[in-house]
Amino acid sequence: MLTHLIILLDDTCVSYCHYNVPHVDHRLISLDDLKAGIVWAMKENVNIQFVYPDYKLPDEYNQAIASIDHTKIKPVKQGQDADVVVLTDWKVSAVDDLHHTTCIVHASRNDLSSHLTTLKEILSQVARLNIVLTDVADFTDADIDDYKLLLSKLSDIVEEQLKLGKNVQMNLLTDRLMLDEMNNCNAGVSNVTLAPDGRFYLCPAFYYDKSKGHIGGLRQGLNIKNPQLLQLDHAPICRKCDAWQCRRCVWLNEQLTLDCNTPSHQQCVMAHLERNASRNLLVRLEEEGFRYGSTHRIEEMKELDPFNTYKQWK
Ligand code: SF4
Ligand code: SF4
């Protein structure tokens, strides 16, 4: 069921997920399309998430946005009234006033490894840290040990903060501790995106990746071909998987396997390394007598790609 409409206010809106934004020239959504998008969301009874660029919007846009309940996703420099801020560089001073905010760090694995001290500082300040990796497509089996090491260092940071009494959340490591079912991105199922061209897309990544095409527009309505292919119950590998924190990114699936419901080796291996790192963190916390919310037991698993055990489920 559709529950969210994401509205990209400009071509240069900050990226909050795996994709990069290729545009540098501003192109605001037209005021008419913004208002029509708000009306569409009201009629469909869905919540709106506005994604902002790195400059102040004209007053008439702010007035239209203020006319409806919404969530603001903003680059950190514009983030004073944001619900979610995206860190666009590693200057921590910019997050000094962001207590109780959800912060998204959008970075490559190497970039994260080089900024662990900054990550620790961010985690100590915000209510939730979401790390979105920009280089999933480049991951190879030769990177497994390095990613394990990075996750282990991130686990140390989470553990240290917990011991200091802070109730931290870091998507890659703590989500799996709390989940008891899949919690994926659900692009095209629970959310769609309205872009500055007045058309709908499965998510912002599909707007910026012009080869992928749109799924209708404000005037002609939503038109998702074969919508069942986006659903978990039509994804034979994912529906049996228990890396519940995985984004199950349909954009990466299309890019890497040419099929939106077939996951890539890269995404599966990385998600399983995160799952296993979450398990290790939980074991360590329990050994030391720490409780982390209402956590669930996570079985030990050596296989990193569910594709390799697929035959066993038939
Ligand atoms: S790890 Fe792979 S199989 Fe599991 S949910 Fe993610 S993409 Fe699907
Ligand atoms: S499909 Fe979902 S996880 Fe993938 S880039 Fe789009 S919003 Fe992000």
Side-chain angles (χ1 to χ4, degrees), residues 29-38 194-198 218-219:
I29 189 169
S30 74
L31 192 56
D32 284 348
D33 283 350
L34 174 61
K35 289 178 178 172
I38 291 171
L194 175 64
D197 64 358
L218 285 166
R219 278 139 209 99

Side-chain angles (χ1 to χ4, degrees), residues 16-19 185-187 191 202-206 247-252:
Y16 64 88
C17 205
H18 297 302
Y19 60 95
C185 144
N186 280 332
N191 60 84
L202 289 178
C203 87
F206 287 82
R247 299 314 291 145
R248 212 166 71 75
C249 175
V250 291
W251 172 67
L252 280 171

Side-chain angles (χ1 to χ4, degrees), residues 199-228:
R199 290 172 166 161
F200 293 117
Y201 293 83
L202 289 178
C203 87
F206 287 82
Y207 170 60
Y208 291 118
D209 186 348
K210 289 296 179 204
S211 64
K212 301 285 192 284
H214 59 87
I215 50 166
L218 285 166
R219 278 139 209 99
Q220 63 268 45
L222 203 55
N223 177 23
I224 304 179
K225 292 188 181 109
N226 296 318
Q228 73 281 0

